[in-house]
Amino acid sequence: MSGIREADLRDLDAIMALESATFAPDDWSRESMSREIASEHTRYLVAEQGGELVGYAGVLAPSGSTDADIQTIAVAPAHRGAGLGRRLMNELLDYAASSGARGVFLEVRADNPGAQHLYTSLGFAVLGVRPRYYKGGIDAVVMKRDAREPVRGEA
Ligand SMILES: CC(C)(COP(=O)(O)OP(=O)(O)OC[C@H]1O[C@@H](n2cnc3c(N)ncnc32)[C@H](O)[C@@H]1OP(=O)(O)O)[C@@H](O)C(=O)NCCC(=O)NCCS
């Protein structure tokens, strides 16, 4: 069983290794990632197994704001399909609700049906499409969920 805890800047090297491997050429810079992790308006989580970082995810949920945004989520390939993505998302959704958000938004590549399936199963619905949002001309699908809807149990 993997453990999930809040991320801090000591996790940056391991997060960036997974970030580049997962999202290049759309990966964030080290500077952007460190700003995200350190921001008072975000919550970033890491998942660890045997002392190794195997996933991370973050949400922007400023205190007092009615909107929250899932910023990113990644699970290392060898650890996918074991429920970790769902557990990370459920913790972020809990956090967004506790910080007062009413709606939680996210963007996902139109050519990423696996992630879309995860989000739909968590209660997200499609709001619209941003054409050619990603490099290579891939559309972004914008999804939204009611933040106050209870999260599902862990898989
Ligand atoms: C998307 C991602 C975070 C899911 O993490 P995970 O730990 O594999 O997800 P889980 O094991 O919790 O699975 C959650 C659900 O999503 C579905 N799912 C996940 N990946 C899938 C895939 N490639 N194809 C179809 N369904 C998939 C699973 O079937 C599961 O549903 P179930 O519980 O009904 O079986 C992971 O695949 C990943 O890191 N992908 C690359 C990065 C990425 O696409 N991030 C999202 C950017 S918006």
Side-chain angles (χ1 to χ4, degrees), residues 31-71:
E31 292 66 36
S32 300
M33 186 66 82
S34 77
R35 262 200 308 277
E36 282 280 310
I37 294 168
S39 168
E40 62 179 305
H41 302 302
T42 64
R43 180 161 180 97
Y44 271 73
L45 302 172
V46 293
E48 289 176 312
Q49 196 157 21
E52 182 197 352
L53 187 143
V54 296
Y56 62 88
V59 63
L60 172 66
S63 172
S65 169
T66 54
D67 295 347
D69 290 273
I70 301 295
Q71 301 288 75

Side-chain angles (χ1 to χ4, degrees), residues 9-128:
L9 289 173
R10 284 167 295 187
D11 300 310
L12 196 52
D13 287 346
I15 288 175
M16 285 311 297
L18 186 49
E19 169 76 13
S20 318
T22 306
F23 295 113
D26 281 313
D27 50 333
W28 291 355
S29 69
R30 193 179 169 85
E31 292 66 36
S32 300
M33 186 66 82
S34 77
R35 262 200 308 277
E36 282 280 310
I37 294 168
S39 168
E40 62 179 305
H41 302 302
T42 64
R43 180 161 180 97
Y44 271 73
L45 302 172
V46 293
E48 289 176 312
Q49 196 157 21
E52 182 197 352
L53 187 143
V54 296
Y56 62 88
V59 63
L60 172 66
S63 172
S65 169
T66 54
D67 295 347
D69 290 273
I70 301 295
Q71 301 288 75
T72 188
I73 179 167
V75 172
H79 297 268
R80 289 180 192 162
L84 213 42
R86 186 180 297 283
R87 285 173 61 203
L88 285 164
M89 284 294 299
N90 276 336
E91 289 213 15
L92 294 184
L93 292 172
D94 259 348
Y95 179 79
S98 72
S99 70
R102 299 227 193 120
V104 184
F105 297 80
L106 61 78
E107 280 146 9
V108 55
R109 291 172 62 104
D111 63 354
N112 190 349
Q116 287 177 44
H117 179 270
L118 168 60
Y119 302 143
T120 303
S121 76
L122 287 165
F124 283 87
V126 175
L127 258 193

